[in-house]
Amino acid sequence: MNWSSLLNRTEYNLKQFTLTVVCSVHFKPSHRMEKQETQVADGEKEPKVSIEASHFDDWETFADENIMQQQYDIQAEEAVKAPFEPLSSLAAEYQSGSPILLEKIKVLGEQYAAIRRARGDGNCFFRSFMFSYLEHILDSQDKAEVARIKENVEKCRKTLQSLGYADFTFEDFFSLFLEQLDSVLQGSDTSISPDELILRCRDQSVSDYVVMFFRFVTSGEIRNRSEFFEPFILGLTNSTVEQFCKSSVEPMGEESDHVHITALSDALGVPVRVVYLDRSSCDSGGTSVNHHDFIPATGDLPNAASGNSETVKPFITLLYRPGHYDILYPK
């Protein structure tokens, strides 16, 4: 992939994709994909990079790649310190808040061990989905699942083409996602480690591209099945399917709800569990935490037996708090 060409073509639907001189789009010389600013565990504090002129004899001879390398080294060191947080850190946020939320967090603690936070920039669902899925493939090394989802990605590509999208508007985003997918399979020169996955998903020039891949896939699925999604969209926004996709799906920074999750899950064939942490009380009198499993509407499921959707166990689990998604890790 020609990265100069790729980066010059990001203007389409990337209304919040900004590139800075030092810490956005630089690439480590020894790698095709670079590791920089975090966008996945974006709730984690990112290191501040400060380079004083006095550290170097001649700024004119200090190349961008040197600045990049120092930035990368600092980011790499920070990435391995706190890959995720124990669930107790979530309880600390609500110590002076609603008692029912504290009770629900205790219930969550019976099933879940940790949380990985996502940046609250309107893309948190897609970033959480991205990291959780790639992490699952990295851990499982499930080549059959990779082959399965690649077939679905190709179907999504054809769907967009049939809907009249020009290839240049989405092709780079698709290519980059497939590149990330290949990189988490071990055994090749481009394979990456868990720490490198964190860094890569923190790199805005990678993360935003993958988010846009998901947004195009989601939009294509909604448009392609407009009759199915139209009643839900009308209930949410009182807009047409086309208006909804243009204003609430494809642009960066637009928040996601059940329509987005259903469409992405169906398009890629990936089941997702969303656990809801809210102030709703329980009719039974006890404390419980509601969840909803988004099971793809197709028979092409990664872990179903004999087409029985009841056997499907989502391997992506997200925690939803009003307006925000994070990743949950089961015990």
Side-chain angles (χ1 to χ4, degrees):
M1 181 184 296
N2 186 324
W3 282 100
S4 295
S5 173
L6 186 149
L7 290 174
N8 285 335
R9 289 160 60 181
T10 52
E11 292 185 356
Y12 185 87
N13 283 327
L14 282 175
K15 72 177 186 182
Q16 290 188 352
F17 187 60
T18 56
L19 309 178
T20 59
V21 174
V22 174
C23 59
S24 251
V25 200
H26 296 317
F27 294 92
K28 186 181 175 188
S30 61
H31 290 275
R32 188 178 180 189
M33 294 301 307
E34 294 318 307
K35 304 122 177 146
Q36 291 244 316
E37 290 276 353
T38 305
Q39 291 289 344
V40 154
D42 294 329
E44 300 170 13
K45 295 182 179 179
E46 300 173 4
K48 294 182 179 180
V49 179
S50 176
I51 305 176
E52 298 181 4
S54 59
H55 291 177
F56 309 103
D57 294 333
D58 188 350
W59 269 98
E60 293 182 356
T61 61
F62 189 70
D64 281 350
E65 65 182 39
N66 299 116
I67 301 174
M68 273 191 338
Q69 184 61 52
Q70 183 170 6
Q71 169 87 2
Y72 169 73
D73 291 341
I74 294 173
Q75 296 268 4
E77 181 180 350
E78 290 294 322
V80 298
K81 289 182 180 179
F84 51 80
E85 303 175 28
L87 205 61
S88 58
S89 67
L90 188 61
E93 294 182 28
Y94 295 95
Q95 286 302 320
S96 59
S98 171
I100 192 171
L101 290 180
L102 290 173
E103 288 299 317
K104 288 190 173 185
I105 292 172
K106 288 181 181 179
V107 174
L108 279 176
E110 297 172 2
Q111 301 181 56
Y112 300 97
I115 181 174
R116 187 184 295 278
R117 300 175 187 271
R119 180 183 293 251
D121 62 354
N123 304 303
C124 53
F125 163 68
F126 293 111
R127 295 197 196 284
S128 296
F129 185 100
M130 167 186 63
F131 185 85
S132 188
Y133 184 79
L134 291 175
E135 185 180 44
H136 168 74
I137 299 300
L138 182 60
D139 290 341
S140 67
Q141 291 298 295
D142 190 343
K143 294 183 179 180
E145 166 63 8
V146 171
R148 184 200 66 80
I149 202 169
K150 282 185 175 181
E151 290 181 3
N152 281 7
V153 168
E154 184 58 31
K155 292 177 184 177
C156 294
R157 188 198 311 273
K158 292 179 179 178
T159 294
L160 289 174
Q161 291 171 337
S162 69
L163 290 169
Y165 286 79
D167 286 358
F168 76 87
T169 61
F170 63 83
E171 187 60 40
D172 289 338
F173 306 125
F174 274 60
S175 296
L176 187 54
F177 171 73
L178 292 174
E179 193 168 313
Q180 306 319 300
L181 195 59
D182 287 335
S183 73
V184 292
L185 287 177
Q186 302 303 293
S188 70
D189 294 339
T190 60
S191 298
I192 62 175
S193 68
D195 292 337
E196 288 174 318
L197 175 62
I198 294 174
L199 287 171
R200 185 169 290 190
C201 290
R202 287 179 171 183
D203 184 345
Q204 184 171 339
S205 63
V206 175
S207 181
D208 279 7
Y209 264 66
V210 178
V211 167
M212 280 306 302
F213 161 75
F214 289 136
R215 287 189 176 277
F216 271 109
V217 167
T218 302
S219 182
E221 183 72 9
I222 293 173
R223 290 172 185 264
N224 194 45
R225 296 167 57 205
S226 59
E227 291 185 2
F228 172 80
F229 286 104
E230 186 176 25
F232 302 102
I233 291 172
L234 287 174
L236 284 172
T237 65
N238 195 31
S239 63
T240 66
V241 168
E242 182 177 358
Q243 290 170 340
F244 179 77
C245 290
K246 285 184 177 180
S247 64
S248 301
V249 180
E250 293 178 12
M252 289 288 285
E254 292 297 324
E255 295 183 357
S256 303
D257 55 32
H258 67 280
V259 173
H260 301 71
I261 303 174
T262 300
L264 184 63
S265 175
D266 286 355
L268 296 181
V270 176
V272 181
R273 170 167 292 183
V274 177
V275 179
Y276 299 94
L277 181 60
D278 53 32
R279 291 180 172 84
S280 61
S281 58
C282 306
D283 295 336
S284 61
T287 301
S288 63
V289 180
N290 296 324
H291 74 268
H292 180 76
D293 290 345
F294 292 83
I295 305 300
T298 68
D300 181 23
L301 299 174
N303 53 9
S306 302
N308 184 4
S309 61
E310 293 182 359
T311 65
V312 174
K313 297 180 180 179
F315 48 75
I316 292 179
T317 303
L318 306 182
L319 176 67
Y320 176 78
R321 290 176 283 172
H324 186 69
Y325 295 88
D326 290 309
I327 303 172
L328 279 178
Y329 290 85
K331 286 185 174 179

